[in-house]
Amino acid sequence: MRKKGKKCPDEGLPPWFATFADMATLLLVFFVIMFSTATIDGSELRLILSAFQGIGTMQGGSTLDAEGRLATLGNNVMALPSRQAGRSLDRARRAAISVFQPEIRTRTVRVTEDERGVVISLSADAFFRTASAELNIEEARRTIQNVSNLMKSEEMQGRKFRIEGHTDSLPTDPAGIWRTNWDLSTARAINVLYYLKDFNVDDRSMQVAGFADTVPMASNDTPEGRAYNRRVDIIILSDAHL
């Protein structure tokens, strides 16, 4: 009499594992989004969270229900002060790029963003007289007024601004009124502050600093690089640099 052979187990993973893997992937994506520094609208986050609805067959509990905690999580996350501030800076950057399009095209103004916040860089060669801290107000008036309007806008209420003066590495004229580039860079920043104050920007919201040639944007070995380095940066400060 032949012995019955042992039945071989089915190959592959059990059917339930596919559903489990899908759920694990969704959870991973969810937590990546939660810890991401990218700005996500509340409506977008709620759309993502809708993918979790209907997972599983367990009764009770409202975690994944339409009326549960996840349904309002998008609004709660976007209401955090850090998220509000991030959106405010992003709107300020877009507004600055839009306002200064003519100057950006002629390279007299640059709008960037770094760890300090939104940076509006004014070319010293375009807005200051040579070897002087005096603004060429005929050339600079429209730009300074646009900067002031941005700083006074409703979404910038409560924010702080820093005006930084920068020079190239060439020394100042010993016979001139500026002993060093430290003096020249600081004086230019202060004069920009005075003009912004004349356009009704609250001087209590502004800070001034002069960096001479210590924070170059480009190499000081070429005339082009030195021209980039001669600038005044008006910075809409991030919360970390207040």
Side-chain angles (χ1 to χ4, degrees):
M1 180 174 164
R2 295 182 59 184
K3 293 183 179 180
K4 292 183 179 181
K6 292 184 179 179
K7 184 179 179 181
C8 295
D10 295 334
E11 295 183 359
L13 297 171
W16 58 266
F17 194 83
T19 302
F20 174 79
D22 288 342
M23 184 179 69
T25 302
L26 285 171
L27 286 171
L28 174 63
V29 172
F30 169 71
F31 285 111
V32 168
I33 292 170
M34 289 296 297
F35 284 98
S36 172
T37 58
T39 300
I40 302 174
D41 291 334
S43 59
E44 293 178 352
L45 186 55
R46 287 194 297 273
L47 180 61
I48 294 169
L49 292 174
S50 67
F52 291 91
Q53 296 177 13
I55 296 177
T57 59
M58 298 292 290
Q59 298 296 320
S62 61
T63 304
L64 299 178
D65 292 342
E67 300 300 326
R69 286 177 291 174
L70 289 183
T72 58
L73 185 56
N75 288 333
N76 293 337
V77 169
M78 298 311 293
L80 292 174
S82 60
R83 307 293 289 186
Q84 298 285 359
R87 289 209 308 272
S88 176
L89 279 178
D90 188 57
R91 288 194 299 268
R93 180 183 58 80
R94 292 198 300 266
I97 290 174
S98 175
V99 166
F100 297 114
Q101 274 299 323
E103 292 87 351
I104 291 172
R105 284 196 294 269
T106 59
R107 297 186 179 182
T108 57
V109 172
R110 293 184 300 278
V111 178
T112 57
E113 188 171 359
D114 60 24
E115 69 281 357
R116 297 170 295 171
V118 176
V119 184
I120 303 169
S121 297
L122 310 183
S123 169
D125 292 356
F127 297 109
F128 290 90
R129 295 180 175 87
T130 304
S132 172
E134 293 298 321
L135 268 171
N136 185 351
I137 194 57
E138 292 80 12
E139 297 292 331
R141 180 181 300 277
R142 179 177 177 274
T143 300
I144 295 297
Q145 187 166 15
N146 286 336
V147 172
S148 69
N149 290 337
L150 180 63
M151 294 168 72
K152 293 184 296 183
S153 64
E154 183 177 352
E155 61 188 14
M156 291 294 100
Q157 294 301 309
R159 299 212 71 87
K160 296 290 185 180
F161 312 93
R162 186 164 67 228
I163 305 168
E164 297 180 354
H166 302 270
T167 68
D168 60 27
S169 61
L170 297 180
T172 56
D173 182 1
I177 61 174
W178 310 114
R179 294 172 52 201
T180 66
N181 281 322
W182 291 102
D183 302 88
L184 177 58
S185 63
T186 304
R188 285 180 169 175
I190 290 174
N191 281 339
V192 169
L193 179 146
Y194 286 152
Y195 276 104
L196 289 171
K197 185 178 177 181
D198 288 343
F199 283 110
N200 299 316
V201 177
D202 186 356
D203 57 356
R204 292 172 297 181
S205 68
M206 294 186 282
Q207 308 167 1
V208 166
F211 288 91
D213 61 335
T214 61
V215 189
M217 289 183 63
S219 171
N220 277 302
D221 295 334
T222 65
E224 295 80 7
R226 290 193 292 272
Y228 271 110
N229 294 334
R230 296 188 294 268
R231 68 195 190 277
V232 171
D233 289 344
I234 302 169
I235 305 167
I236 305 170
L237 292 170
S238 66
D239 290 345
H241 286 77
L242 294 180

